[in-house]
Amino acid sequence: MENTKTVKIVIAFVVICIIYMLLIFLLNLSKKDQSSGYIINSNLGGFYCRNSACEWIRTEEIDLTQSFDVYQRNNLLGSYELEYASKWNFYQQNEWQEIYGDFIAISKSLKYEIIPYQIENFTIEDYKMIQKVLQEKSIENYTTLNNDFAYVLDLDKNGTEDKIISVSNQTEEENTNQYFTLLLIVLNGNVHTIYQEDSLKSNGFVLPYYSYMEAIKIGNQTKIVVNKSYFNNAGSPSTILLDVSDNKITEETIGE
């Protein structure tokens, strides 16, 4: 009887050890498969992403002891080591390189895919869509738009072309009391008004303007990097990360 109890204790101990070792193995395997790294926006800090979840971090929190792929207007400029000292510095094989203008830098450790885009002039349907969004806000007293093009790309990689449109009448020369700024995304034929702001003041430059930077696929989700800026320091700029998943677009994180 005593021997039977001892055998049961030994078997139970062995089973517990096996389960423990299996859990450790699975945990390590999970960590090995996880993808993590940074998305740096040239204007303001960046984002730390682990798998498909990202959060905004300040510049001084970014681990720069690694290599980054640097993109500018959808073009890969190359792999660089980065340094920040009042401005961003770029190095290849310890040689300093000059890069002008806005950029997006992505950790090489992050499993990602840059989504290519085409810039196309507004179609008649685009103008009608913008007009409809504005009419819902009773904004009709405008004559010009600051641009007439859209970024055309496949945000969720399903074979259907989507559009990102950032437009305003802030540069309208004629006197108007109705100024507006819009960021619209057409996803699978559905129009999403991401940001819409308007002003009845005589100065439209108090409103922000939105600049599309890049769309980055991480796992099964797409992240859209957007700059929110102001003319003449009328407000505080920020960098925004939008998440595209399950046919929805949400503001995942924003850095001030």
Side-chain angles (χ1 to χ4, degrees):
M1 189 72 177
E2 188 66 29
N3 290 339
T4 301
K5 184 182 293 187
T6 301
V7 170
K8 288 182 178 180
I9 292 173
V10 171
I11 292 174
F13 178 76
V14 171
V15 170
I16 291 173
C17 288
I18 292 174
I19 293 175
Y20 176 77
M21 293 174 66
L22 181 61
L23 288 174
I24 293 296
F25 172 78
L26 291 175
L27 182 61
N28 289 334
L29 182 63
S30 175
K31 288 182 177 179
K32 184 178 180 181
D33 290 341
Q34 285 178 338
S35 171
S36 63
Y38 299 93
I39 300 173
I40 298 176
N41 184 1
S42 55
N43 286 355
L44 284 168
F47 309 98
Y48 175 72
C49 301
R50 186 176 183 83
N51 286 342
S52 298
C54 302
E55 60 180 350
W56 181 78
I57 58 172
R58 295 186 299 272
T59 300
E60 58 268 25
E61 297 177 299
I62 299 174
D63 178 12
L64 297 177
T65 60
Q66 54 186 289
S67 295
F68 293 83
D69 293 330
V70 178
Y71 292 84
Q72 196 169 56
R73 293 181 293 276
N74 222 221
N75 296 315
L76 177 63
L77 301 184
S79 297
Y80 296 85
E81 283 70 47
L82 271 60
E83 175 188 72
Y84 187 81
S86 73
K87 72 169 188 175
W88 287 104
N89 295 299
F90 305 84
Y91 296 89
Q92 283 184 330
Q93 298 179 345
N94 296 323
E95 292 291 331
W96 179 77
Q97 304 287 327
E98 184 73 61
I99 293 179
Y100 297 97
D102 293 336
F103 68 87
I104 294 291
I106 306 175
S107 298
K108 294 182 73 66
S109 61
L110 188 63
K111 297 176 183 177
Y112 73 93
E113 177 185 352
I114 288 286
I115 298 178
Y117 63 76
Q118 299 292 327
I119 296 178
E120 298 182 3
N121 291 334
F122 285 160
T123 63
I124 295 177
E125 288 72 22
D126 292 334
Y127 281 114
K128 289 181 178 179
M129 174 184 63
I130 294 169
Q131 186 178 45
K132 182 179 178 181
V133 172
L134 293 174
Q135 285 177 339
E136 291 174 354
K137 295 292 184 178
S138 298
I139 298 176
E140 298 179 350
N141 183 25
Y142 67 94
T143 58
T144 60
L145 300 175
N146 70 325
N147 66 58
D148 59 355
F149 63 86
Y151 296 93
V152 180
L153 67 173
D154 185 358
L155 286 169
D156 49 8
K157 308 292 284 184
N158 66 350
T160 300
E161 286 189 341
D162 307 304
K163 288 187 177 182
I164 298 176
I165 294 175
S166 176
V167 69
S168 76
N169 70 333
Q170 291 167 302
T171 57
E172 189 167 17
E173 294 181 0
E174 297 181 17
N175 186 30
T176 178
N177 290 324
Q178 291 184 309
Y179 288 96
F180 63 86
T181 183
L182 291 174
L183 179 65
L184 306 176
I185 296 180
V186 182
L187 178 64
N188 296 321
N190 297 314
V191 181
H192 299 259
T193 303
I194 309 302
Y195 299 109
Q196 189 277 325
E197 299 177 58
D198 55 80
S199 171
L200 296 179
K201 298 180 181 180
S202 59
N203 182 6
F205 294 112
V206 299
L207 297 176
Y209 61 94
Y210 296 93
S211 303
Y212 165 69
M213 297 293 289
E214 294 287 357
I216 307 163
K217 186 173 176 60
I218 303 174
N220 295 321
Q221 299 176 351
T222 295
K223 313 296 181 179
I224 302 175
V225 183
V226 175
N227 282 342
K228 179 181 180 180
S229 307
Y230 291 84
F231 293 100
N232 299 323
N233 299 316
S236 299
S238 58
T239 182
I240 303 166
L241 194 70
L242 303 174
D243 177 78
V244 182
S245 56
D246 299 325
N247 215 30
K248 297 178 182 178
I249 304 170
T250 57
E251 182 183 275
E252 181 169 3
T253 182
I254 181 170
E256 301 292 344

